[in-house]
Amino acid sequence: MAGLRPRAAVASNCLRPAIRRGARHASGAAFGYYTCWQLQFLVNIKTQGNILNWRSISATKKLWSTVASAKPDDSKFESVDAPLEPQTCEGSFLCGLLKNLPHIFLAAAAKQLQELSYQREESLKRWEHSIGSKEDCLHRRIAELKEHECQRAIEDVMYMLIVYKFFKIEVPMVPNLSKLISNRRLQLWPPRETDLESIHGPEVLELIREHLTSIIRWVHRNGPKINRSTLRIKRLQFVRIYSASIMYGYFLKSVSIRHRLELTLTRSEGVPPIQFLNAQLTNKQEQEGAIGGSSEASSSLRPSSVVNPHDLRGYIMGFDPKTLQLCAKLRSSEASNLIERHSWALFGGDMELSQENDEAVILDPSSLKRLLLEAIAFGSFLWDVEDYVDEIFKLSDS
């Protein structure tokens, strides 16, 4: 229960809604139900540069009918479709907005996060105030249930924020692969490789291309041989490769930001990057150990490779094991759950897949590359979304 102890309020009092919950709307079945702040938000949101007057009943009804009529399968924008469907009313609400009113999506998502943070904070406060009384166990159980409910809602909000990022670069996410596989063959077209690569910098993109090349070669080498232009891979193996690529995209985003911060420190204070110093120290220790600690021989010995602190590849090579593990680790359990849920939703949703019922998928290298590029982009977007959400709603440590 340590994770359920009351935390400091994230959302300020001015951001807290005055009204808590609204009744289910007859025409809002696509969203489950709306909170009162959602209705108030939709009425007062900026539309085409003008703020809607909340006193204008006709304008309110028109906007309400537009949002309430949105259904998950009535997709106006192809890039909104995603393999994982929201399971909470918060996620369904944002899904409907993204399909019908994408210009207010980000403001609505921020409001959702503030509301969820407030709900969790209030349940924890009630539990804290009841400690020592007869209602202690009741409020503790309520706080536990609210924590679980908010976590599920937060995961859906985070997922929709990732979908929104794909929407912004106008790249449709790959739907459930069972819809695309015919006679065990998968083909994705168009590949959209340029669009998916455009979100990365040159140095990161170079590392990504090496990752893709090594994966494709590994599948060629370890899979059943068909011909040079066709790959065959077991579905369970495919899920693992896809999930690992999400983690790789998450890692590259983390380490590239860390690299930029250290380079900024270097320029402003003239201090060499920490990883460069670590690498230099390691090289020196290895040299001295190889020759029995002789300083004369050590001075004449040259390392086989020089670590360039200004190069991302060299920067990563300078990591000690602890730093490497820190950058590769997911910061929140919500992010870990999202990777698992998204991967299984993409590959069929059968989380009990085993070696006995594991069927092979036939595809060409371009289709595999398309999927892996999407996975890496997903990991990069996940890092951004996790960082943004954690500022408003404190996420659980992984």
Side-chain angles (χ1 to χ4, degrees):
M1 292 302 298
L4 274 177
R5 296 307 305 169
R7 302 183 178 91
V10 179
S12 61
N13 289 332
C14 63
L15 294 175
R16 293 176 177 173
I19 306 175
R20 302 290 293 159
R21 287 283 182 185
R24 182 182 297 268
H25 193 281
S27 61
F31 303 115
Y33 59 87
Y34 294 92
T35 57
C36 288
W37 73 260
Q38 289 169 343
L39 305 184
Q40 182 182 5
F41 171 79
L42 290 172
V43 172
N44 292 281
I45 197 67
K46 291 183 179 180
T47 304
Q48 298 179 352
N50 298 320
I51 301 179
L52 293 177
N53 187 346
W54 67 273
R55 296 183 180 88
S56 175
I57 299 177
S58 60
T60 301
K61 288 184 177 180
K62 183 177 180 181
L63 181 58
W64 169 253
S65 62
T66 301
V67 178
S69 62
K71 296 181 180 179
D73 55 349
D74 293 339
S75 178
K76 182 179 179 181
F77 304 98
E78 186 183 8
S79 58
V80 173
D81 291 334
L84 182 60
E85 296 182 1
Q87 301 298 313
T88 63
C89 62
E90 289 84 359
S92 298
F93 176 76
L94 292 178
C95 184
L97 282 186
L98 186 54
K99 292 178 180 180
N100 295 273
L101 299 169
H103 56 287
I104 66 174
F105 174 85
L106 288 179
K111 199 70 175 178
Q112 292 273 24
L113 293 172
Q114 292 162 6
E115 167 72 5
L116 289 169
S117 177
Y118 176 61
Q119 288 179 21
R120 182 175 66 174
E121 177 193 340
E122 286 300 297
S123 67
L124 291 173
K125 282 183 177 179
R126 285 194 294 270
W127 174 31
E128 185 179 44
H129 292 158
S130 69
I131 292 177
S133 68
K134 295 180 180 180
E135 298 179 345
D136 183 3
C137 293
L138 173 62
H139 286 288
R140 172 177 177 153
R141 181 55 180 163
I142 292 174
E144 290 174 345
L145 293 174
K146 179 57 66 175
E147 180 82 8
H148 178 69
E149 177 186 329
C150 287
Q151 185 180 38
R152 289 178 61 248
I154 281 295
E155 288 178 14
D156 275 358
V157 173
M158 289 176 65
Y159 189 75
M160 289 311 304
L161 284 168
I162 294 173
V163 175
Y164 175 78
K165 285 182 170 288
F166 280 100
F167 169 83
K168 292 297 289 184
I169 63 174
E170 299 181 351
V171 175
M173 296 181 70
V174 177
N176 186 294
L177 294 186
S178 61
K179 301 177 182 179
L180 306 175
I181 295 177
S182 178
N183 296 325
R184 294 195 300 176
R185 188 176 188 90
L186 171 67
Q187 185 169 10
L188 303 178
W189 190 262
R192 305 299 294 266
E193 293 177 5
T194 303
D195 297 318
L196 289 168
E197 291 176 345
S198 65
I199 65 174
H200 308 290
E203 288 185 309
V204 173
L205 190 55
E206 181 182 352
L207 295 174
I208 290 174
R209 287 171 176 166
E210 289 181 3
H211 171 78
L212 297 176
T213 302
S214 64
I215 294 267
I216 293 174
R217 286 177 178 173
W218 183 88
V219 174
H220 257 304
R221 185 171 60 252
N222 294 277
K225 303 296 185 295
I226 301 178
N227 55 58
R228 299 187 64 181
S229 61
T230 305
L231 304 174
R232 186 173 179 176
I233 182 172
K234 292 286 188 178
R235 189 179 292 240
L236 184 58
Q237 207 170 45
F238 208 165
V239 177
R240 291 169 179 165
I241 291 175
Y242 184 87
S243 300
S245 296
I246 293 180
M247 291 292 297
Y248 188 63
Y250 184 96
F251 165 76
L252 288 179
K253 185 68 174 185
S254 174
V255 76
S256 61
I257 291 178
R258 183 187 176 103
H259 184 222
R260 286 200 299 268
L261 288 174
E262 290 198 16
L263 286 181
T264 302
L265 178 65
T266 302
R267 297 189 186 100
S268 61
E269 300 184 12
V271 179
I274 296 173
Q275 304 312 319
F276 175 67
L277 295 176
N278 288 341
Q280 295 296 93
L281 179 61
T282 301
N283 285 336
K284 183 177 179 180
Q285 291 174 342
E286 290 177 352
Q287 294 166 19
E288 292 179 351
I291 58 175
S294 172
S295 58
E296 294 180 0
S298 176
S299 61
S300 63
L301 189 62
R302 295 289 181 270
S304 58
S305 61
V306 179
V307 176
N308 180 5
H310 300 286
D311 175 66
L312 183 60
R313 183 195 303 276
Y315 176 76
I316 296 175
M317 289 174 61
F319 279 171
D320 55 69
K322 187 175 293 186
T323 305
L324 186 64
Q325 183 180 11
L326 179 65
C327 290
K329 182 183 177 183
L330 295 170
R331 294 173 292 174
S332 69
S333 60
E334 287 83 359
S336 178
N337 292 340
L338 269 186
I339 292 177
E340 183 178 18
R341 290 175 58 198
H342 170 73
S343 298
W344 285 111
L346 177 63
F347 284 87
D350 185 7
M351 300 182 69
E352 300 300 326
L353 192 63
S354 62
Q355 298 291 341
E356 290 74 18
N357 60 2
D358 188 13
E359 62 178 8
V361 178
I362 302 172
L363 71 167
D364 55 88
S366 64
S367 295
L368 177 59
K369 186 177 179 181
R370 164 69 171 85
L371 270 171
L372 296 184
L373 280 174
E374 179 179 298
I376 293 171
F378 187 98
S380 180
F381 292 155
L382 177 60
W383 196 98
D384 290 331
V385 167
E386 184 184 45
D387 190 58
Y388 166 71
V389 170
D390 195 51
E391 292 293 322
I392 304 174
F393 183 101
K394 182 63 179 176
L395 299 174
S396 306
D397 296 333
S398 62

